[in-house]
Each structure stands twice: as structure tokens, then as C-alpha cells.
């Protein structure tokens, strides 16, 4: 070790003084003592290594202490960021599975506070003082909205299918069309789910054509149920046929078997007016004679993650009594959010107030105006290095629903000026990693597209603030392989 090197190392502040810095005190309020000591030790070790290799050339103890302080304060600020803080979704995919699917309405959040701050009558009947059922929280609304006799809520739609097939078909056969052996994404494949329930899958028909008669012929003494699976994330076109729900319900009734229907997306209002084709509603499935209808709470319904089962009481009662129910039941956070989302439907305000539905139904002229507003707010931050304009774009419903539906939209499109050092990839990364309101867009042909439909009018202001900051800071960030592959994986799994 040279003389000057050891001299430099002597300038490292003692632990005692590091402990007194603002940064260390901020960390101390967030970490248990052992972890705090570790963090301080690491900060000093890092400084020592940097002095040794010359990457830090300060020689005065006060300056080193200030550097340490700033780094610890930064670490504390990072720790304070909640991993589940609000993210602005400018991807153009409204129900983005990676971004938590449906945003909840403000009214729902307020209700959540009321229902969860103290105790709540979750399994308690306030009028009689007797023990109640937690599904009664949502049952009357679900039955009133859909015409079903009874309902149950579980953790998600995958859990609903698991419960129905286990409780009604374990050790026996479930009859499904070959055209409906769907993979939803995230490892949910209908044949595997049925097998994991201890049931045997009996495939009928062909990929493109299946008739009610195919199901009837497959029924044996071993049959437990007929199941319809909504092919929610793909379409088959051309020479195709699917039996009507009514004809399958008739086959099921003749043989005394239940007709199960995995609807997946679970629309409670018809979406035909959007011009996106026909998505079957829950009410249609109930009216059409399905005995147990299953769907997600956070797809087209626009509520919290949940799985809803509803239909004839004879079958729902058997599901409620099954031991697996105990493992799949949701907590009161979910039930409160679901109940207040359903209340928006009951009062006829769903299309305007359920955020996912409001984004889908927003008129294209309004979406265009939202994009223009965003552009106007950042115009003065573009400087000489960036150019931006509003262009027509296509938004998607997402969440594995309405796979070919295109919702007309508009996006703010940002490009670097030719010859400038501005990097679109760097800008995308700066927006995504922003401390406040991370903003997720998509890169297409070298430009960053920020879709105004998925963003929603309530997020324009926050998006503008983040964008103004990032436009200034995102120059020298070079293209990183990580951010490209991260973008790609986000695109791929958007439709789970
Ligand atoms: C999305 C979907 C599921 C899974 O729903 P989760 O709520 O995500 O578990 C199951 N079946 C179908 C047909 C779906 O579209």
C-alpha cells in the first residue's frame, strides 16, 4: 500500500459519525438494527473499495461523509417506494395482466377503507347475532344482477374451475369439446386443470366443429359433468360449429348431469355497442341453462381479482360445502371491493364508473382530445432533441378477452430528432423506472407510443409531469438489452 493510498483510507469517516447522518437516520426508521448495521457497513466498504481503485478521489473526511449521507438517503428513498404503487398504463392494453388487470373505482377504494379499518360483519349476521356466511356479502347482488339462484366467490376464475371440477367430477368424467381445450396463459390449460382435479377429460367433436349430439353420445355411467369453456383468447373462423348453450343444457338435463361453463371474462353488460363483436354475458349463460357459470372478477367485470361461481342452488350448495372451499375463499378486502363494484352495476352506473369499462366506452373524439392535452402539456419540454405528435392507434381490451377486438384510440408518439443524442429506449426506461408514477408505454419502429385510451383522462396530468422530467433526463442512456427483453415479455404476457 502506498503512502498516499493509506492516507486516503484514513479519511473514511468512522461508523459513529455515519450513524449521525440524515441518511442513516432515515434508514434507521425503515430497517431493523441488524439490517441497518449491514447497510452502513456496506456503504463504508464500498467507499473503501472506491478510494482504493481511484473511482472516488475525495480526500477530505467531511466530503466523504456527505457522499455517504447522500447514498444512504437515496437507499432510504428507494425503500420507501411501495412496490405496488400506482403505475400509469399507456400500453394500449386496458386489462393488462402484468399491470394488475382492472383499476378500481374511487368509490370502491373509499368503501374498502370503511370495510377494513376496523372489524366487519364478514361471517356474522348483525340482525340475529348468529354466525353468517361470507359469501352472503356479494350473493344478493350477484343473484339480482344475473338471475342466478345462488353464488360463491373464490380467489380467481382458475380456482372456480378447480373447485367445480373437484367437487362435482373427481374420480369421474368431464366432457369437453376439442375446440375448447384452451390454454389461458400463466400455465392454465383446461386438460391439465381437469386432470389435477382427479377427473378424467373426455374430448368430443373436432377442433372446428362440435355438435350437441357428440356430447350426448359420450355420456356414460362414469360421466359427471358437461363443460363449456369460452375460447376467450383466440377465434376459429371458417367451417366451424359450436352447439348452442340451450341444446347442451337440454342434453345435460336429460342425463341429470350439471352443465358447467367457464366463461372467463365475465361481462355483466353487453359490449356489442363498442363494435368489438359479441362477448357472451353472464346473464346469457344463466338464462341459457348453464348450471354453474364461472368467471373472473378482474376482467370485463372490472373489479378485484376474484373468481365467481353462480347458478343453480343444487350445485352451488355442493361447492360451498366442499373442504377445498376453505382454501380458496377470499378475504374481506376482496369481498368489500367486489361488493362495491357490483353496487355500481346495480345502480346502473357501471359503464361510466367502473374504470376499465369507462376506458373502453370513452368516445374516440374524447380520447383524441386526451392525447392532444398530454401533448400540449409536454410540448415545452421537448427541446431540440425530441419531436412528438398525436397519431391514431389501436387499443385492446386485454386480459385474454376479445382477442381480435380493436378499440380505436390515439397516442402521443415521441421520437428523437435526427442527429440528436436522444434515445427512445432510454426515455422508455426513464419513464418506467420513475419514482413517482412509473409510466409504461410501448416502443414501435423506433418511436415511443403512449396510448391515451388505456391511460385514461384522470392520468393525463401525472403522465405529463413524469414525461416532462424524463424528456430532460433521458439522453445519454444507451440501449440496454435488459429493457428490450423486459418490454418484450410484457407484450407477450399482456393477454393472459
Ligand atoms: C382468464 C380465464 C381464466 C382464468 O381466470 P383467472 O381469474 O385469471 O384465474 C379461466 N378461464 C377462461 C376461459 C379465461 O378466459
Amino acid at each position: 500500500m502506498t503512502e498516499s493510498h493509506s492516507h486516503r483510507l484514513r479519511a473514511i469517516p468512522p461508523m459513529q459519525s455515519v450513524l449521525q447522518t440524515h441518511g442513516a437516520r432515515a434508514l434507521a426508521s425503515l430497517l431493523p438494527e441488524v439490517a441497518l448495521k449491514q447497510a452502513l457497513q456496506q456503504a463504508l466498504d464500498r467507499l473503501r473499495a472506491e478510494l482504493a481503485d481511484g473511482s472516488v478521489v475525495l480526500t477530505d473526511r467531511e466530503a466523504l461523509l456527505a457522499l455517504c449521507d447522500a447514498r444512504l438517503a437515496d437507499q432510504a428513498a428507494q425503500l420507501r417506494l411501495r412496490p405496488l404503487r400506482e403505475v400509469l398504463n399507456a400500453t394500449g392494453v386496458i386489462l393488462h395482466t402484468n399491470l394488475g388487470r382492472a383499476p378500481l373505482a374511487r368509490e370502491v377504494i373509499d368503501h374498502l377503507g370503511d370495510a377494513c379499518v376496523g372489524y366487519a360483519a364478514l361471517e356474522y349476521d348483525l340482525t340475529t347475532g348468529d354466525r353468517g356466511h361470507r359469501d352472503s356479502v356479494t350473493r344478493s347482488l350477484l343473484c339480482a344482477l344475473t338471475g342466478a339462484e345462488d353464488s360463491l366467490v373464490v380467489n380467481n376464475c382458475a380456482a372456480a374451475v378447480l373447485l367445480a371440477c373437484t367437487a362435482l367430477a373427481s374420480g369421474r368424467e368431464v366432457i369437453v369439446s376439442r375446440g375448447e381445450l384452451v390454454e389461458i396463459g400463466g400455465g392454465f390449460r383446461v386438460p391439465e386443470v381437469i386432470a389435477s382435479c382427479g377427473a378424467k377429460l373426455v374430448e368430443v367433436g373436432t377442433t372446428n366443429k362440435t355438435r350437441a349430439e357428440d356430447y350426448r353420445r359420450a355420456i356414460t355411467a362414469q360421466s359427471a359433468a358437461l363443460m363449456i369453456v369460452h375460447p376467450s383468447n383466440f377465434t376459429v373462423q371458417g367451417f366451424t360449429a359450436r352447439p348452442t348453450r340451450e341444446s347442451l343444457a337440454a342434453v345435460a338435463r336429460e342425463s341429470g348431469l350439471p352443465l358447467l361453463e367457464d366463461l372467463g371474462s365475465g361481462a355483466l353488460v353487453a359490449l356489442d355497442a363498442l363494435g368489438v363483436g359479441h362477448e357472451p354475458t353472464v346473464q346469457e349463460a344463466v338464462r341459457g341453462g348453464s348450471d354453474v357459470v364461472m368467471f373472473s372478477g378482474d376482467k370485463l367485470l372490472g373489479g378485484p381479482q376474484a373468481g365467481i361461481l353462480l347458478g343453480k342452488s343444487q350445485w352451488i350448495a355442493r361447492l360451498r360445502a366442499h373442504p377445498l372451499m376453505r382454501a380458496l375463499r377470499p378475504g374481506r378486502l376482496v369481498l368489500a371491493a367486489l361488493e362495491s363494484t357490483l353496487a355500481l352495476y346495480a345502480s346502473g352506473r357501471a359503464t361510466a364508473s367502473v374504470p376499465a369499462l369507462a376506458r373502453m366506452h370513452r368516445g374516440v373524439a374524447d380520447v383524441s382530445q386526451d392525447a392532444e392535452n398530454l401533448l400540449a402539456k409536454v410540448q415545452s419540454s421537448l427541446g431540440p432533441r425530441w419531436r412528438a405528435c398525436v397519431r391514431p392507434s389501436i387499443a385492446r381490451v386485454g386480459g385474454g378477452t376479445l382477442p381480435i377486438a380493436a378499440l380505436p384510440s390515439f397516442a402521443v408518439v415521441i421520437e428523437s430528432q435526427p442527429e440528436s443524442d436522444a434515445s427512445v429506449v432510454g426515455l422508455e426506461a426513464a419513464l418506467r423506472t420513475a419514482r413517482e408514477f412509473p409510466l409504461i408505454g410501448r416502443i414501435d419502429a423506433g418511436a415511443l407510443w403512449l396510448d391515451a385510451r388505456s391511460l385514461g383522462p384522470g392520468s393525463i396530468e401525472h403522465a405529463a409531469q413524469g414525461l416532462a422530467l424524463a424528456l430532460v433526463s433521458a439522453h445519454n442512456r444507451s440501449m440496454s438489452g435488459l429493457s428490450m427483453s423486459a418490454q418484450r415479455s410484457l407484450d407477450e404476457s399482456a393477454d393472459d
Side-chain angles (χ1 to χ4, degrees):
M1 195 182 283
T2 64
E3 190 57 31
S4 74
H5 183 192
S6 61
H7 170 73
R8 263 183 281 151
L9 289 188
R10 272 198 297 276
I12 291 184
M15 178 66 93
Q16 232 13 49
S17 20
V18 177
L19 260 173
Q20 301 307 316
T21 59
H22 285 291
R25 273 186 262 145
L27 265 188
S29 67
L30 301 167
L31 291 176
E33 204 174 317
V34 178
L36 174 69
K37 286 231 172 87
Q38 234 167 24
L40 300 190
Q41 197 55 57
Q42 276 165 3
L44 289 174
D45 290 348
R46 176 177 168 193
L47 214 51
R48 196 167 291 116
E50 289 167 332
L51 286 168
D53 69 15
S55 53
V56 167
V57 292
L58 303 169
T59 50
D60 129 44
R61 181 167 288 182
E62 283 308 307
L64 287 174
L65 191 61
L67 178 61
C68 224
D69 184 11
R71 285 175 173 175
L72 294 171
D74 193 58
Q75 208 174 333
Q78 288 288 353
L79 275 177
R80 262 197 216 100
L81 290 179
R82 291 276 134 88
L84 285 182
R85 64 196 188 279
E86 183 180 353
V87 166
L88 306 177
N89 173 9
T91 61
V93 179
I94 294 173
L95 296 169
H96 202 303
T97 298
N98 296 165
L99 300 181
R101 288 200 187 147
L104 296 179
R106 177 49 56 190
E107 278 180 69
V108 171
I109 303 300
D110 292 344
H111 175 67
L112 216 47
D114 293 342
C116 297
V117 73
Y119 299 96
L122 184 62
E123 292 185 357
Y124 185 75
D125 187 331
L126 289 171
T127 50
T128 63
D130 293 332
R131 176 159 192 191
H133 270 294
R134 67 176 60 204
D135 51 65
S136 63
V137 173
T138 49
R139 193 199 221 150
S140 54
L141 273 173
L142 279 168
C143 293
L145 287 166
T146 63
E149 293 171 8
D150 197 0
S151 77
L152 262 186
V153 181
V154 291
N155 192 45
N156 54 22
C157 186
V161 177
L162 185 74
L163 176 64
C165 288
T166 305
L168 303 178
S170 184
R172 291 160 67 211
E173 296 174 353
V174 181
I175 306 170
V176 186
S177 160
R178 289 198 169 88
E180 298 176 2
L181 297 175
V182 180
E183 169 167 330
I184 301 303
F188 183 91
R189 291 173 150 191
V190 169
E192 290 168 10
V193 172
I194 291 175
S196 78
C197 299
K200 182 165 179 275
L201 168 67
V202 174
E203 302 176 19
V204 296
T206 62
T207 307
N208 55 328
K209 281 207 176 198
T210 305
R211 298 177 184 82
E213 190 48 36
D214 296 323
Y215 293 79
R216 182 183 281 115
R217 276 206 308 269
I219 293 174
T220 67
Q222 286 310 301
S223 305
L226 279 60
M227 184 153 86
I228 305 174
V229 182
H230 179 44
S232 45
N233 55 7
F234 69 100
T235 60
V236 182
Q237 285 174 343
F239 188 60
T240 64
R242 290 181 84 198
T244 62
R245 186 181 288 113
E246 287 74 5
S247 64
L248 284 186
V251 173
R253 250 194 324 273
E254 276 167 29
S255 49
L257 300 177
L259 174 62
L260 315 180
E261 181 163 357
D262 175 8
L263 207 48
S265 36
L268 285 181
V269 291
L271 298 172
D272 304 49
L274 293 176
V276 294
H278 183 69
E279 178 72 16
T281 62
V282 176
Q283 291 88 334
E284 267 169 58
V286 171
R287 226 182 303 122
S290 287
D291 295 293
V292 177
V293 181
M294 301 163 274
F295 55 98
S296 297
D298 56 353
K299 290 186 180 173
L300 290 174
L301 194 149
Q305 181 190 307
I308 296 158
L309 300 112
L310 49 77
K312 309 260 165 65
S313 16
Q314 167 195 3
W315 305 107
I316 301 291
R318 281 179 55 180
L319 304 183
R320 182 176 289 116
H322 194 275
L324 196 51
M325 185 55 214
R326 180 64 176 72
L328 302 178
R329 71 184 194 185
R332 67 167 140 153
L333 274 166
V334 166
L335 289 170
L338 183 60
E339 187 268 335
S340 49
T341 303
L342 293 170
L344 294 173
Y345 282 90
S347 62
R349 289 176 297 141
T351 306
S353 307
V354 171
L357 288 183
R359 280 166 169 77
M360 286 175 220
H361 285 90
R362 192 160 175 80
V364 70
D366 291 331
V367 176
S368 160
Q369 192 55 56
D370 294 341
E372 293 291 351
N373 290 347
L374 177 56
L375 178 62
K377 285 177 195 291
V378 299
Q379 198 84 56
S380 63
S381 311
L382 292 172
R385 298 161 51 245
W386 299 103
R387 58 182 176 188
C389 61
V390 168
R391 289 202 200 136
S393 110
I394 300 288
R396 307 253 168 221
V397 175
T401 63
L402 295 160
I404 55 171
L407 299 169
S409 185
F410 281 87
V412 171
V413 181
I414 304 172
E415 289 166 290
S416 54
Q417 290 285 13
E419 315 285 305
S420 89
D421 67 344
S423 150
V424 166
V425 172
L427 178 63
E428 186 276 331
L431 290 169
R432 173 164 43 78
T433 55
R435 282 204 182 159
E436 261 193 299
F437 302 110
L439 173 61
I440 320 288
R442 64 171 199 270
I443 294 180
D444 191 3
L448 179 64
W449 289 63
L450 301 173
D451 187 281
R453 186 180 287 282
S454 64
L455 193 56
S459 298
I460 298 293
E461 188 60 49
H462 286 142
Q465 284 167 17
L467 197 49
L469 269 178
L471 285 167
V472 179
S473 70
H475 39 123
N476 292 319
R477 301 181 70 148
S478 60
M479 183 130 149
S480 106
L482 181 66
S483 81
M484 290 294 279
S485 66
Q487 176 79 23
R488 214 165 16 243
S489 76
L490 197 64
D491 290 346
E492 276 165 11
S493 49
D495 279 351
D496 279 8

